[in-house]
Amino acid sequence: MNELLDTFGLLAAAMLDDPLLALANAVCWLDPLWETSDDDLYDEGDGVGLALCITRSAFPDIYAGVVERIRSGAAEKELDSFICGAISQRGIPLDNLEFLGYGIPLNACGIELSDPDLYAARADLLPLVELFGIRPEPGHYNVEVPDCAYTAGRVIADSLVKQADEGLKQVGWALAWLFSCSGNTLIDFDDESLAEIPPLSWDENDLAFAIELIEEADGIIRDVTAGLTLLEANPSFFAALETNIQRTYKTIAKMKGKNDEPRIRLEWPPLIAGGDGATVPDPEFLLVRCDAA
């Protein structure tokens, strides 16, 4: 046995003395998948193998970190935690390695106004949607949304988002989320609708787009939750919003079914941060609250 070990040591030393073989040894040690095809890379259910395949091209530094931990004898649970945490820090929320195989994971924040379950979970939206003529009735499987509600919501949201006042913009984003017209897929689609779209792959362009999309959606959601809070705290502005909704509805009615976007100039009173002595909740708390829907 000693002679066998001595022979192995002799061969290893001879290999390291040769520059080319030493380089080959380093490649095999640092990049164990250097000549492995994607089809042979991992077995079904092998989350770490799948992660190695994806991170090798998408996140080389994360791949190197995983290989280092594997060489150090890290357990699968530790590898799972490291990979999910490292990818999440890059702007792609990841809770479980099994999601990697379905493309870049994206979380939809959108809602469906005709779904009665929405109002069971978010009763705070009822006063706002009622201004648009949306009145959920108990026991019904579908909520009737007036045909012109989405058009009016889009017009009013666009008007508010263009205002100089930051609070008015936040209310505008709240309405853009409510009526699915923000222009951001994650804000305008719910989980069911998002599932019908082909997932983004882990290539460089899709990855950059996904990170930008998620960052934009996070910013919009913060404005949405702040905007909803401002509405609750400003009864006078709430009344002005109702007046402008009715003005917009009348303008739409005069168009008699034309598909053109209604042109109407809307005036908005100033918003008071915190309203009548109210305190604006912390944005992080509001974000959690909104995501829970």
Side-chain angles (χ1 to χ4, degrees), residues 201-221:
S201 68
W202 289 98
D203 67 34
E204 183 179 357
N205 292 332
D206 279 3
L207 186 58
F209 174 71
I211 292 174
E212 181 180 357
L213 188 68
I214 293 169
E215 288 178 349
E216 181 183 62
D218 288 345
I220 291 174
I221 283 295

Side-chain angles (χ1 to χ4, degrees), residues 1-284:
M1 179 63 72
N2 289 335
E3 291 181 359
L4 180 61
L5 291 176
D6 290 342
T7 302
F8 176 80
L10 181 64
L11 290 173
M15 182 182 69
L16 293 177
D17 285 339
D18 183 281
L20 182 60
L21 292 179
L23 179 61
N25 182 71
V27 169
C28 292
W29 181 263
L30 299 174
D31 184 13
L33 306 180
W34 70 278
E35 64 171 359
T36 309
S37 67
D38 290 348
D39 293 337
D40 299 331
L41 195 56
Y42 59 91
D43 298 323
E44 185 176 353
D46 179 11
V48 174
L50 174 60
L52 283 170
C53 172
I54 291 172
T55 56
R56 186 174 184 270
S57 58
F59 306 105
D61 56 332
I62 297 178
Y63 170 74
V66 178
V67 171
E68 179 184 5
R69 283 162 175 77
I70 291 175
R71 299 298 191 198
S72 301
E76 184 174 346
K77 184 177 181 180
E78 180 183 344
L79 295 173
D80 187 307
S81 177
F82 168 74
I83 297 167
C84 289
I87 293 179
S88 295
Q89 287 179 0
R90 301 302 171 84
I92 305 292
L94 182 65
D95 298 323
N96 194 305
L97 293 183
E98 68 181 26
F99 298 134
L100 288 173
Y102 301 100
I104 298 175
L106 298 172
N107 298 320
C109 303
I111 58 175
E112 177 53 62
L113 289 175
S114 61
D115 183 3
D117 291 339
L118 167 65
Y119 307 103
R122 293 294 304 268
D124 58 305
L125 296 177
L126 287 171
L128 180 56
V129 299
E130 286 178 357
L131 298 183
F132 290 86
I134 303 172
R135 297 178 176 83
E137 297 182 19
H140 286 228
Y141 294 102
N142 189 65
V143 177
E144 184 176 351
V145 180
D147 293 338
C148 55
Y150 282 98
T151 301
R154 186 169 61 249
V155 169
I156 293 172
D158 184 63
S159 172
L160 285 165
V161 168
K162 290 179 179 178
Q163 302 299 311
D165 181 80
E166 187 63 25
L168 294 178
K169 288 182 179 180
Q170 290 173 334
V171 174
W173 285 118
L175 291 174
W177 165 73
L178 196 69
F179 290 99
S180 305
C181 60
S182 73
N184 182 292
T185 304
L186 302 184
I187 300 297
D188 298 340
F189 284 57
D190 58 13
D191 288 328
E192 184 176 346
S193 300
L194 189 63
E196 297 177 0
I197 301 177
L200 295 173
S201 68
W202 289 98
D203 67 34
E204 183 179 357
N205 292 332
D206 279 3
L207 186 58
F209 174 71
I211 292 174
E212 181 180 357
L213 188 68
I214 293 169
E215 288 178 349
E216 181 183 62
D218 288 345
I220 291 174
I221 283 295
R222 284 191 289 270
D223 283 338
V224 168
T225 50
L228 291 174
T229 300
L230 284 170
L231 275 176
E232 293 176 359
N234 285 264
S236 60
F237 184 87
F238 206 80
L241 175 60
E242 181 177 18
T243 299
N244 278 332
I245 291 172
Q246 295 306 315
R247 286 185 60 200
T248 305
Y249 272 11
K250 290 178 181 179
T251 301
I252 295 173
K254 291 177 181 178
M255 297 176 65
K256 298 180 180 179
K258 293 181 180 179
N259 293 326
D260 297 337
E261 195 76 5
R263 297 181 179 180
I264 179 172
R265 183 181 179 85
L266 301 174
E267 299 293 336
W268 300 103
L271 275 165
I272 302 174
D276 302 329
T279 301
V280 179
D282 179 74
E284 293 301 322

